Amino acid sequence: MALDRSRPLVQWMDRFLYSPVYLLFLGVLTVFSNVFSLEVFVYPVFILMAGYIFLFGRDMLPVFPMFVFGYISPSGANNPGRNPESIFSLSGGGLYWGVLLGILAVILIYRLVTDPVFGGKKFLQKGRKLLPGMVVLGITYIISGVCSGQWEEHGWQNLLFACLQFAAIAGLYYLLCGAVVWEEAPKAYLFWTGLCVGYVLLVELVGIYFSADVIVDGTIYRGRIVTGWGHYNNIGAMFAMMIPLPFFLAGKGKYAWFAYVSAFLFCLGLVFTCSRGSILFGFIVYAVSYVFIVCRNKHARSHIGIHILLNVGPILVFLLFRERFLLLFGDLINAGFHSPLIRISNYVEGIKQFLQFPIFGGSFFPVEAELYEWSRWHNTLLQVLATGGIACFAAYIYHRVQTVKLFLQDMNNGKLFAGISILTMLLMSLLDCHFFNIGPVLFYSGALAFVEYGMQKHEKLQ
């Protein structure tokens, strides 16, 4: 629906929706929802804003952060896995939210069909370099387990899960590539989104510590770090993915110190999630990103005081309070000896399932193995082999080759730090199942659209 974009109110909304203030606003709403269980008040605001964007927005770019913040918004009180009467259940309002989302979908389709700038044939014919690989991967998800006998027992469940995975990987990418006027998109929108998401995660983690009695007798019990959208591993994965993104902003303007402090705080929050795999790779990407920006950017090297504070300060604090830190993270340290053995046994079972059904795998549901988490092999490569066999593995490699080529072509600073964020998720997924969790993959999907269309004018690597 066309608007006169010269009107003062419309111009104000355009400035707002493409500014960091809008991201901050979404972040505050997300905190209200997650920490204070105010979903019933926050979600209508999200829906009204999405409705405005779908009908009257300049393009669809502002819906990207709404998906990301929406994923991390559910509170512990409304965790559907723990509360059968949560607002997401049919009895608790799930049907109501479903109807509203259905109306939004109809509005979005109408806009994509009728918009004179990017709608109709323009939207459908927009080039999407990664789409072939995504489609092939999605098809192998859908036909996974076709010859294993699992379709008789889990056919509809496997199909539903496969379609959700395909939608998470391809949906945002497909929408943003075709429905964003990239020539007018703010250059740092992805990075400001990551910055705001990181701070929301910090506030949510503090809320969990205060509300769930996570620390008992001076020791963190990570099993109590649970919120409405996941537990410590899920929170840790999102933290780790956000860590590289502030570094893109570190070489910009007089407030570059804020980017360093932000990345450090995200690392600190990551430590307090007690997610071992996320901590391992999060610290690696923090160090790599830090060293790169300091070595490559003269402006970044000018903040000597910040560099000393962030690098020397934590070491001194640890040395002064070493015993207290060892007690604080004692549960994490002790957990490190037993869980890897479970992982290895799962890997063995995954290989067995692949060897039993090598062509199309055994579906997302384990055929014979009893995993301690449903349908999770905790390794992306083993997951695709056990799930969809050689067909799915080949499709995944095809998709991965396409993404690597996209990043390497005309590499620049934006692509570098977006790529490090995505690489973080892929590395963590070698020890966990993040590539098959909706939230990280939604961010991954949207980020790929930014890389393909929103980063051509970023500064080249020096």
Side-chain angles (χ1 to χ4, degrees):
M1 186 178 297
L3 276 184
D4 182 0
R5 309 216 77 82
S6 64
R7 293 182 179 181
L9 180 59
V10 176
Q11 290 183 341
W12 182 89
M13 282 297 295
D14 284 347
R15 290 193 298 270
F16 172 68
L17 291 172
Y18 297 86
S19 71
V21 177
Y22 166 66
L23 302 174
L24 179 62
F25 176 68
L26 291 182
V28 171
L29 288 177
T30 303
V31 167
F32 284 157
S33 174
N34 179 269
V35 177
F36 303 107
S37 303
L38 293 177
E39 292 98 330
V40 69
F41 300 105
V42 170
Y43 287 175
V45 178
F46 269 74
I47 289 170
L48 287 173
M49 291 180 64
Y52 174 87
I53 295 167
F54 289 168
L55 278 174
F56 308 118
R58 189 173 74 196
D59 59 18
M60 297 298 111
L61 182 63
V63 303
F64 167 66
M66 294 190 75
F67 275 95
V68 181
F69 283 113
Y71 175 77
I72 62 174
S73 66
S75 65
N78 282 303
N79 186 325
R82 295 188 166 205
N83 178 12
E85 300 299 320
S86 77
I87 67 166
F88 302 105
S89 66
L90 289 178
S91 59
L95 182 60
Y96 168 73
W97 301 118
V99 170
L100 290 181
L101 291 176
I103 293 173
L104 279 181
V106 172
I107 295 173
L108 174 61
I109 293 172
Y110 171 78
R111 177 70 183 277
L112 295 179
V113 170
T114 62
D115 190 274
V117 177
F118 54 77
K121 290 183 178 180
K122 296 177 183 178
F123 177 75
L124 295 176
Q125 295 173 355
K126 184 75 171 183
R128 297 169 175 91
K129 294 180 181 178
L130 304 182
L131 187 60
M134 290 179 173
V135 170
V136 172
L137 184 61
I139 291 173
T140 59
Y141 282 171
I142 291 171
I143 65 173
S144 62
V146 67
C147 299
S148 67
Q150 288 286 79
W151 277 32
E152 287 76 14
E153 185 175 355
H154 299 291
W156 283 109
Q157 292 169 296
N158 189 70
L159 181 62
L160 174 61
F161 190 78
C163 289
L164 285 174
Q165 292 300 312
F166 175 54
I169 290 175
L172 261 181
Y173 168 79
Y174 190 85
L175 174 66
L176 295 179
C177 281
V180 173
V181 183
W182 289 104
E183 296 79 10
E184 300 179 15
K187 186 169 67 172
Y189 202 81
L190 173 69
F191 303 99
W192 282 112
T193 299
L195 188 74
C196 290
V197 169
Y199 276 104
V200 169
L201 293 172
L202 277 175
V203 177
E204 290 187 1
L205 185 62
V206 171
I208 294 170
Y209 268 77
F210 273 102
S211 63
D213 296 323
V214 174
I215 301 178
V216 179
D217 296 328
T219 299
I220 298 173
Y221 286 90
R222 66 176 189 160
R224 300 184 180 185
I225 303 176
V226 180
T227 188
W229 53 274
H231 61 17
Y232 53 89
N233 277 341
N234 306 109
I235 303 170
M238 292 297 287
F239 260 126
M241 290 179 68
M242 300 306 117
I243 286 172
L245 300 178
F247 284 106
F248 174 78
L249 307 169
K252 314 289 181 184
K254 61 181 179 180
Y255 299 110
W257 62 269
F258 183 65
Y260 291 114
V261 172
S262 299
F264 173 79
L265 290 176
F266 298 169
C267 268
L268 189 63
L270 175 59
V271 170
F272 278 87
T273 66
C274 297
S275 173
R276 291 160 303 166
S278 301
I279 292 172
L280 170 64
F281 293 113
F283 270 52
I284 292 174
V285 300
Y286 174 78
V288 170
S289 301
Y290 200 116
V291 169
F292 179 87
I293 197 66
V294 169
C295 292
R296 293 282 185 170
N297 190 287
K298 293 180 180 179
H299 184 72
R301 293 196 292 271
S302 64
H303 302 278
I304 303 299
I306 291 295
H307 297 317
I308 294 174
L309 177 65
L310 297 183
N311 290 280
V312 179
I315 297 174
L316 293 178
V317 171
F318 176 78
L319 293 176
L320 288 173
F321 302 99
R322 180 175 179 274
E323 296 300 325
R324 291 189 180 181
F325 280 115
L326 291 177
L327 174 63
L328 187 65
F329 295 99
D331 183 55
L332 172 64
I333 295 170
N334 294 332
F337 294 101
H338 113 124
S339 185
L341 297 178
I342 300 177
R343 288 277 206 281
I344 292 172
S345 66
N346 282 346
Y347 297 161
V348 171
E349 293 300 326
I351 294 172
K352 288 181 179 178
Q353 179 162 310
F354 163 65
L355 294 176
Q356 187 176 1
F357 307 104
I359 306 301
F360 298 111
S363 83
F364 282 98
F365 289 78
V367 178
E368 297 178 355
E370 294 184 5
L371 302 184
Y372 69 96
E373 285 191 45
W374 170 78
S375 76
R376 297 293 193 258
W377 301 102
H378 285 80
N379 179 284
T380 300
L381 300 180
L382 281 177
Q383 177 80 49
V384 297
L385 283 170
T387 296
I390 294 174
C392 192
F393 184 79
Y396 176 79
I397 296 301
Y398 175 41
H399 170 60
R400 189 57 53 230
V401 168
Q402 285 196 313
T403 56
V404 171
K405 288 175 62 178
L406 177 66
F407 277 95
L408 293 181
Q409 183 178 8
D410 298 322
M411 175 64 77
N412 55 48
N413 286 337
K415 283 189 174 184
L416 175 71
F417 290 109
I420 293 176
S421 175
I422 287 176
L423 180 61
T424 304
M425 185 194 74
L426 297 178
L427 290 173
M428 290 187 297
S429 297
L430 296 177
L431 300 176
D432 218 309
C433 42
H434 304 301
F435 193 71
F436 294 92
N437 288 334
I438 300 298
V441 178
L442 279 174
F443 190 86
Y444 167 85
S445 178
L448 291 176
F450 277 89
V451 171
E452 183 166 342
Y453 278 105
M455 297 184 179
Q456 294 93 335
K457 296 182 180 180
H458 284 196
E459 296 89 343
K460 303 294 183 182
L461 296 180
Q462 301 297 321

